Amino acid sequence: MRSEQLTKGIERAPHRALLKSLGLTDGEMKKPFIAVVCAASDYVPGHTHLHEISRAVKDGIRNAGGVPFEFFTIGVCDGLAMNHKGMRYSLASRELIADSIEVMLTAHPLDAAVFIPNCDKIVPGMLMAAARLNIPSAFVSGGPMNAGKVGGKRVGYSEIYEAIGKFKNGGISESDVRDFEDNACPTCGSCAGMYTANSMNCLTEALGMALPFNGTLPAVTAARRRLAKETGELVMELYGNDIKPSDIITKENIFNALAADMAIGASSNTVLHLLAVAREAGTPLTLDDIDEIGRRVPQLCRLNPASDVFIEDLDAAGGIGAVMCELSKADLIFLNARTVSGTQYERVKAARYADGTVIRHIKNPVRDDGGIAVLRGNLAEEGAVVKQGAVLPEMMRFTGTAKVFDSEQGAVDAILNDKITAGDVVVIRYEGPKGGPGMPEMLAPTAAIAGKGLDGAVALLTDGRFSGASRGAAVGHVSPEAAAGGLIAYVNDGDKIGIDIPGRRLELFLDGSAISERKEKQVIKKKETAGYLGRYSKAVTQAHAGAVLND
């Protein structure tokens, strides 16, 4: 027991005295100490109810004979951080979360842990910490919010941004926008579509680190509370059997998570996060691995923002278990891989069959390849990523004229003020891991393009990243980024850019001599940064490596 470093022996009398000041008894000090790592906060919609989830987890731990100790992590709400300086801290917070958990659970050695995340960077940050610390661990998220309803139609968070574009285009009134504002987010929980938070919660389940339905049970249900209590009981079994994250976060299960990723049309941010988690687990993973899986695993689900199907519908159709069951029919899952509750085979055997509508059958997929594609070419020598499952068919191959912006806000202003027209490729640069810094999300420009009715005629390219709520021909994670001297730094207005998603190519149509001339004349821009972001920008790697910090 790691906790014996606090409780056993005459030399630990001072430690026991401090524990007794918390109200612990001698009897409790003989039991396993279990960390409950919670991301609750009062102003993140996905986290405001996590105190309640945590109470259920602690009840489960006590039911099974353990002693729970709760502590909290930071957590950025990407929606609240969007379109201002705060978004630069979102991805960067992932490393702080992992590091702070390492600090807490090394300074106060406990025997096992339950992690309670819900939103974008908190899930991977906690997975990274679990892999790094390698003590028996299980996850239970807070669950998704219900879909909203506006004008008799179900909507998600991304539709609010699109409504702004429609209003600017004269298509709807200000009161219509207010209707979205009042009704698009009706409950607590992570946003209702297959955005990054729900993508990562689903993949945590597919990875084997959480119980079935962790990714899809709605936040407001009693079933979510029961799942939390069961997770608290489960971690005691993991502790008793000494089953650790290193037994679960294996190459096979990382590939299982990637297969699920492709099948559900998850957020492109999952690429960054799975690369980072695999690194912590000591399991090599590259963009080439991800693309290879993406080429052979079909997309079975098309969820909001790509459609009007929501996470609650996926849950009703059998959740991630039904998706994995369908994938197993084509031998696309490693069934012998261990999870926190048996093997993947046992889970698949107990899962429901796909309904053929929300979860398409393997022989009748949404598309023959996966929801995410990795592009390469002279504009992305180390790779770029696109959520191809949310791209309109006419935009899968596109050649357009560059309109270049050195910041997200400049691009948003141009889109909303009709400076972008059909046939353009909006290029947003100096927003990468180093150049942002922090690789901010680009939901506002993608939603503005859609709201203006241009998502079938305008593409967007950036060394930043996209919200899981984004849709359209939006290519992100361009690596190397502009701040690192990538070719994207030398694109000029009027250049021709080719995007070939089926062919996995991203090209600037400019000859070598012209590129060389520009590199001699154009200067790479540098941003002055201070505080955490300044330290982060100096240590962070490129997107193709997961935007992790150098050792």
Side-chain angles (χ1 to χ4, degrees), residues 49-294:
H49 64 305
L50 294 190
H51 291 292
E52 186 179 350
I53 298 298
S54 182
R55 283 194 293 271
V57 167
K58 290 187 284 186
D59 286 344
I61 291 168
R62 292 190 184 97
N63 287 348
V67 182
F69 291 83
E70 182 180 19
F71 69 91
F72 299 92
T73 69
I74 62 170
V76 173
C77 173
D78 281 14
L80 294 174
M82 198 74 67
N83 292 122
H84 58 82
K85 182 180 179 180
M87 178 47 73
R88 304 190 187 284
Y89 286 85
S90 177
L91 180 60
S93 74
R94 185 188 69 184
E95 319 307 311
L96 282 176
I97 291 165
D99 289 350
S100 65
I101 295 169
E102 176 192 348
V103 168
M104 286 295 288
L105 289 182
T106 305
H108 316 112
L110 305 188
D111 301 306
V114 175
F115 294 89
I116 308 174
N118 211 28
C119 290
D120 299 35
K121 307 315 153 309
I122 299 88
V123 185
M126 288 185 174
L127 282 169
M128 290 163 68
R132 187 184 304 174
L133 292 162
N134 201 34
I135 61 174
S137 301
F139 280 65
V140 59
S141 76
M145 69 170 61
N146 293 349
K149 185 172 285 188
V150 174
K153 179 184 177 182
R154 291 194 305 164
V155 299
Y157 178 70
S158 63
E159 280 87 345
I160 308 173
Y161 280 89
E162 293 181 16
I164 295 170
K166 292 177 182 177
F167 169 75
K168 293 283 188 178
N169 214 30
I172 60 175
S173 68
E174 188 171 351
S175 64
D176 291 328
V177 177
R178 180 61 180 265
D179 199 7
F180 280 92
E181 177 183 328
D182 289 344
N183 297 297
C185 300
T187 72
C188 64
S190 46
C191 296
M194 190 54 79
Y195 310 156
T196 306
N198 290 324
S199 295
M200 286 307 303
N201 286 324
C202 287
L203 297 194
T204 301
E205 179 184 333
L207 185 64
M209 286 298 293
L211 285 168
F213 291 98
N214 172 73
T216 57
L217 278 173
V220 295
T221 59
R224 173 62 60 179
R225 277 74 183 158
R226 292 195 298 272
L227 185 73
K229 192 175 292 185
E230 290 165 357
T231 302
E233 295 169 347
L234 169 70
V235 79
M236 296 301 296
E237 294 180 24
L238 297 174
Y239 165 75
N241 293 315
D242 196 32
I243 298 173
K244 300 174 182 176
S246 58
D247 300 311
I248 297 169
I249 308 177
T250 59
K251 182 177 181 179
E252 290 77 15
N253 266 333
I254 288 172
F255 279 27
N256 284 341
L258 281 166
D261 194 342
M262 298 301 170
I264 62 178
S267 164
S268 59
N269 283 317
T270 58
V271 172
L272 287 171
H273 299 325
L274 288 175
L275 287 167
V277 172
R279 179 177 180 267
E280 290 287 355
T283 302
L285 182 69
T286 67
L287 284 183
D288 288 337
D289 296 323
I290 294 170
D291 192 49
E292 188 275 327
I293 293 170

Side-chain angles (χ1 to χ4, degrees), residues 513-532:
S513 59
I515 291 173
S516 297
E517 184 178 345
R518 287 187 189 179
K519 287 184 176 181
E520 289 177 5
K521 293 181 178 180
Q522 293 179 211
V523 177
I524 299 295
K525 296 184 178 181
K526 302 290 184 183
K527 290 182 182 176
E528 293 297 325
T529 54
Y532 176 60

